[in-house]
């Protein structure tokens, strides 16, 4: 095939693919334009998750009529003029690619009026081609309407998710900028229903309340810090150690009020909470770093989601110190006898014998005899294959319990040496297989799953992402033992939990399972992700002392699983130190 210049329409679609991935990408670019225009009110409207319609309306500075059409030419921008400015970018948008890229894959209408003009100007485009333009009466500011997104790029459209899933991504985006700009009044309207509204009164705590609700807002601590020599400032909120979540998605970072994704910042916050949170729990944080513009590169990613710092170690240290100082100074002393989970529990308390029993968490009642190993039962074929499993099953050798190390690892002796078993990972595998088998039986035979009913139903407020997963996997959740009913927009009524989760805070347990499942990209099926999340949330933790009989029973149950060598997430359940390795270490060979 000879070298040739691409047709302009095809080149425009390719360029659009770098900027516009989904409806949330459109909202991001247009919303950032509104912020750069100095808007004090921004309204985002969606229909059908943004595929049918996205509309962003603001009261910003507007665009002069003579410049509206120019704004849709590639590389046209009012935010950048010289090469030197690239080293210290002070605006959210600057590339001059957003409007032409969006217009190339949609029908677009823009109406804009400056505060000095008496009338506005309207321009209509279809896949980048002008249809009509002219004067239009309008209030000061800009309104951009995007319709039939990706109508001319079906390959891109077919990879999008459901309307509710796409809407939840937009909700996440608007929520983040609500937190970054508390002085701006944001409104998100999805299918003519209000999904998010902020007061826009300049009070960060009230923006936090609008996004996360009263429970989370009440558990947040104010963070303030600075590195005066470098010109760094840190401001925002971080949760008290009693408030934590199952994954890192509740940590939000802004750099000069630009929402960014950066592992360095996440590591700094996690280090600040060192020794303050339970294993595999993460804080809620909303933090803005103000840096000199020439100390951060915002031009390293096509959609500006990632940034690079000139002095990474210094940024890390400033953030870590600020969060740690807030925790040391403000963390309240917990009430005696109340853990973070127990504080909000509304169901009947679990008897001490049951809550302390290993077997209540493994699916057996207190004092019941644990199930016999597979070699004595013959029901191996009832277990579904775990995700990623391949090849014949490798049985465990007969293991003799020797003891427990650091209340985390079971030491066992086998015919081929010494085995260290991670008690949490092993119990995860046991619970995962039990849950999958029981759920399949429930779905196929209409049987009742093992569950723990609550004396009083609990109202659970879910994020849009959690609610989307709830809607998509309601049947499977019921198969595992959750009894949940819709209770209004974003609210659900929880009546029962899987029996393996007995003794947990009901509302937080449901949220944790949904959060873990949403982020578990390694699972091959949704039901696997849900079962793995329930198992992880319910399994015994590191730091729990086990009796010899409990350790022996856990090893027997692990031997009964289809894949005793890894947990559902792929981590090893055990490591093997062979007799030969031990002899070499002691120089017997």
């Amino acid at each position: 095939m000879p070298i040739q210049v691409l047709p302009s329409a095809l080149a425009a679609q390719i360029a659009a693919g770098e900027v516009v991935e989904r409806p949330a990408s459109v909202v991001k670019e247009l919303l950032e334009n509104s912020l750069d225009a100095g808007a004090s009110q921004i309204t985002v409207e969606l229909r059908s998750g943004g595929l049918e319609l996205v509309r962003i309306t603001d009261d910003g500075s507007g665009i002069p009529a003579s410049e509206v059409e120019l704004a849709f030419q590639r590389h046209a921008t009012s935010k950048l003029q010289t090469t030197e400015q690239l080293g210290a970018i002070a605006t959210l948008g600057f590339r001059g690619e957003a409007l032409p890229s969006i217009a190339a894959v949609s029908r677009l209408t823009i109406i804009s009026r400056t505060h000095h003009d008496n009338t506005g100007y309207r321009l209509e485009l279809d896949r980048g081609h002008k249809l009509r333009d002219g004067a239009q009466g309008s209030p000061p500011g800009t309104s951009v309407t995007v319709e039939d997104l990706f109508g001319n790029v079906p390959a891109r459209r077919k990879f999008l998710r459901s309307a509710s899933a796409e809407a939840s991504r937009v909700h996440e985006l608007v929520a983040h900028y609500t937190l970054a700009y508390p002085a701006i009044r944001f409104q998100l309207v999805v299918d003519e229903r209000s999904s998010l509204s902020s007061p826009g009164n300049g009070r960060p705590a009230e923006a936090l309340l609008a996004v996360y609700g009263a429970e989370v807002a009440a558990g947040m601590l104010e963070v303030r810090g600075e590195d005066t020599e470098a010109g760094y400032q840190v401001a925002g909120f971080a949760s008290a150690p009693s408030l934590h979540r199952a994954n890192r998605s509740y940590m939000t970072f802004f750099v000069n009020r630009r929402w960014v994704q950066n592992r360095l910042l996440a590591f700094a916050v996690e280090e600040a909470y060192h020794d303050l949170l339970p294993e595999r729990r993460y804080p809620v944080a909303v933090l803005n770093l103000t840096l000199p513009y020439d100390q951060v590169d915002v031009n390293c990613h096509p959609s500006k989601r990632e940034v690079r710092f000139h002095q990474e170690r210094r940024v890390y240290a400033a953030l870590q110190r600020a969060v740690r100082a807030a925790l040391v100074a403000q963390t309240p002393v917990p009430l005696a006898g109340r853990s973070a989970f127990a504080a909000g529990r509304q169901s009947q308390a679990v008897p001490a014998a049951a809550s302390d029993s290993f077997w209540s968490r493994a699916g057996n009642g207190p004092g019941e005899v644990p199930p016999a190993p597979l070699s004595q039962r013959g029901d191996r074929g009832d277990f579904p294959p775990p995700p990623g499993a391949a090849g014949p099953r490798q049985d465990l050798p007969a293991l003799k319990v020797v003891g427990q190390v650091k209340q985390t690892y079971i030491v066992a002796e086998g015919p081929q040496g010494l085995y260290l078993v991670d008690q949490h990972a092993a119990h995860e595998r046991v619970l995962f297989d039990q849950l999958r088998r029981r759920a399949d039986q429930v779905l196929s035979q209409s049987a009742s799953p093992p569950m723990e009913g609550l004396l009083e139903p609990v109202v659970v407020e879910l994020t849009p992402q959690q609610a989307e997963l709830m809607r998509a996997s309601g049947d499977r959740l019921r198969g595992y033992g959750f009894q949940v009913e819709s209770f209004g927009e974003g609210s659900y009524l929880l009546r029962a939990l899987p029996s393996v989760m007995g003794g947990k805070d009901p509302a937080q347990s449901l949220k944790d399972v949904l959060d873990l499942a949403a982020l578990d990209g390694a699972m091959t099926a949704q039901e696997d992700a849900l079962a793995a999340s329930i198992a992880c949330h319910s399994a015994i933790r590191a730091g729990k002392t086990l009796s010899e009989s409990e350790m022996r029973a856990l090893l027997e149950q692990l031997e009964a699983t289809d894949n005793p060598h890894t947990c559902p997430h792929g981590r090893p359940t055990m490591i093997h130190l062979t007799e030969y390795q031990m002899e070499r270490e002691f120089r017997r060979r």
Side-chain angles (χ1 to χ4, degrees), residues 13 75 108 150 216 265 330 350 444 448 475 506 551 559 563:
Q13 290 180 16
H75 311 308
L108 186 148
F150 300 132
V216 170
L265 304 182
Q330 302 179 59
V350 179
S444 63
S448 297
D475 288 343
M551 290 187 281
E559 193 271 338
N563 184 2

Side-chain angles (χ1 to χ4, degrees), residues 156-436:
R156 175 61 58 85
R157 190 161 187 157
K158 73 179 181 180
F159 284 102
L160 297 178
R161 298 179 61 189
S162 66
S164 58
E166 296 298 335
S168 73
R169 288 176 178 263
V170 174
H171 187 285
E172 179 187 26
L173 174 77
V174 177
H176 282 121
Y177 276 108
T178 297
L179 296 169
Y181 291 84
I184 297 177
R185 184 172 185 264
F186 289 90
Q187 280 193 307
L188 173 61
V189 179
V190 179
D191 296 326
E192 300 184 353
R193 300 176 64 180
S194 177
S195 178
L196 176 65
S197 179
S198 70
N201 58 13
R203 299 173 184 167
E206 295 194 23
L208 193 71
L209 180 67
V211 171
Y212 283 126
E215 181 183 357
V216 170
M220 301 295 282
L221 310 175
E222 186 174 8
V223 176
R224 294 280 177 183
E226 62 180 336
D227 180 336
T228 54
E229 182 181 345
Y232 300 168
Q233 291 184 332
V234 179
F237 299 91
S239 60
S242 59
L243 176 64
H244 42 77
R245 293 292 182 258
N247 59 49
R248 295 182 176 91
S249 65
Y250 292 86
M251 290 190 286
T252 302
F253 301 102
F254 304 98
V255 175
N256 295 330
R257 295 206 290 181
R258 179 191 301 278
W259 178 35
V260 300
Q261 298 168 350
N262 186 279
R263 293 294 298 136
L264 174 78
L265 304 182
F267 284 140
V269 171
E270 289 175 36
E271 180 62 25
Y273 281 84
H274 182 65
D275 291 337
L276 295 177
L277 294 181
E279 181 191 14
R280 296 187 188 179
R281 304 294 297 186
Y282 304 93
V284 181
V286 178
L287 297 163
N288 179 64
L289 284 83
T290 301
L291 310 178
Y293 292 116
D294 61 358
Q295 293 292 301
V296 56
D297 179 10
V298 300
N299 196 27
C300 60
H301 191 279
S303 60
K304 306 183 291 292
R305 286 187 301 227
E306 300 173 7
V307 297
R308 290 184 296 195
F309 300 107
H310 181 59
Q311 299 185 75
E312 287 190 343
R313 292 185 179 181
R314 201 157 190 170
V315 170
Y316 179 99
L319 182 59
Q320 191 270 343
R321 283 198 302 264
V323 175
R324 188 70 181 188
L327 293 172
V328 171
Q330 302 179 59
T331 296
V333 178
L335 296 176
R338 296 187 72 189
S339 66
F341 277 142
R345 184 167 173 80
Q346 301 181 39
S347 62
Q348 183 183 22
V350 179
S355 62
D356 292 338
S357 169
F358 170 86
W359 292 114
S360 67
R361 306 177 74 177
N364 299 77
E368 291 186 36
V369 178
L374 182 65
S375 58
Q376 300 175 24
R377 297 203 323 263
D379 57 353
R380 185 188 308 269
D382 293 339
F383 288 92
R393 179 183 186 275
Q394 296 181 349
D395 290 337
L396 293 180
L399 299 179
K400 176 185 176 182
V401 172
V402 176
Q404 188 182 25
V405 177
K406 297 186 71 67
Q407 299 173 304
T408 300
Y409 306 105
I410 299 172
V411 184
E413 179 185 359
Q416 298 175 344
L418 197 66
Y419 293 77
L420 281 178
V421 181
D422 184 323
Q423 64 193 40
H424 176 74
H427 197 204
E428 266 193 89
R429 168 53 64 184
V430 170
L431 293 181
F432 176 80
D433 279 21
Q434 289 178 355
L435 287 163
R436 287 298 314 274

